[in-house]
Amino acid sequence: MTNLAQALTDTAAEHGSRPAVKLDDLVIDYDTLLDGARRVAAMLKDRGIGPGDRVGMVLPNVPPFPVLFYGAVAAGCVVVPMNPLLKAREVQYYLEDSGASIVFSWHQMAEEATKAAAEVGIDCVSVEPDGFTDLLAGFEPDDEVVAREDDETVVLLYTSGTTGQPKGAELTHGNMTSNAATSAETLVELGPEDVVMGCLPLFHCFGLTCGLNASVRSGSCLTLIPRFDATKALEVIGRDRVTVFEGVPTMYAGMLHAPDAESYDVSSLRTCISGGSAMPVEVMKKFEQTFDCIVLEGYGLSETSPVASFNHPGKERKPGTIGVPVRGVQMKVVDDDRQDVAQGEVGEIAIKGENVMKGYWGREDATAESVQDGWFLSGDMATVDDEGYFTIVDRKKDLIIRGGYNVYPREIEEVLYGHDAVAEVAVIGLPHDDLGEEVGAAVALKDGQSATEEELQAFAKESLAAYKYPRKVWLVDDLPKGPTGKILRREVTAPEETS
């Protein structure tokens, strides 16, 4: 039996006076974090909310997030984290679908959550720094960590998907405890002296597991940025002597292209890890050259808690790959009939192990479709080499079929990232009467740089087969991104007139 919140109790007993969470000048040590979490548990129990009940959280990366999270988990509740930018209609869907008993919302975003809670008929508790402290002061700390089985749900993480309504991935105490341990002990090798950059959203699996839960398990300090800003991130790395940076590729690109990027002191950085989407090799190389550090790329999904594979420290690193499966996890590449494909051939990644979700909340059909015989079908296309290293080719749904030929957007994006003026790229399929689909590329340029659509097209044409290079290229100020900063191809549209 493992309650995920036990890690906070254990760490506070050993490192109580060490900083747990930091936001600029505000520092909370482990004793204070534990005390706050225990008061949250008492508040929930006072309201009759306990084991198995769902608790909504609509907060950015602020100190009350971990306090509420660990308090709810210690009380045996199931946490439903939500993006604080969601509108009332969207919050209402999450609350109704999960059957939440209460929702906590950061005061600056509370209006939408309050409207949603009213529609559902539950309370929305507005959270603001001073008021939250006062609220908790009214409850005596409850030091019970409710016993939970490893296979009992602890978090419902809603995945956006490309079609239909979001589905709640049920992650268990066993899933999240083992994945946090793997992140802390194997991948990043965290210890009490480490400072982890908390710019990944905590309401997202990457930030929650690899940032918060891994840090708490290790006694590390998590320094928060409520909303990612490249210049702010570089400042915080120097100010707080950050040793571990965790981010998605657009964050790395943003810091790399920040004004006077090379003037910031990032000498404290020991390890950088990247996930969420494929890291363009050119971005990785330039980041490592500029900031004199190593970037290790991994892979995972909300449904896998999230880490499934990684370029492990101490093993050969292969830039452009997502490494090998982490401990307790198996991966393979299969065809549409779920049969293993030949080595080097493209197929869909299937994942099995202690990180795979229990299922989709209330969606037996969707669960049966995605998980068979314990293997979760990821929807990501990849190859695996003779040493077991996986390379993402693309999302299955993003595959472009041009005149019968398979075109993988990531390959074209990698080429365009090699152009000195390019900051960000998204390649999509465009409807075509004769070919079925044509290849299109939306490109955002670096500040102060210039390039024409024709020039970028010619640049890509030099390195790509005739059926692959983008026939349509258009320039944009920036590209649509999800809550973690991941570029959303499905939201990219082409202007009517493109070259």
Side-chain angles (χ1 to χ4, degrees), residues 72 127 170 451:
V127 178
E170 288 190 71

Side-chain angles (χ1 to χ4, degrees), residues 321-336:
T321 77
I322 54 169
V324 298
V326 299
R327 68 185 185 193
V329 175
Q330 298 170 263
M331 283 171 53
K332 62 182 180 179
V333 177
V334 298
D335 61 21
D336 289 341

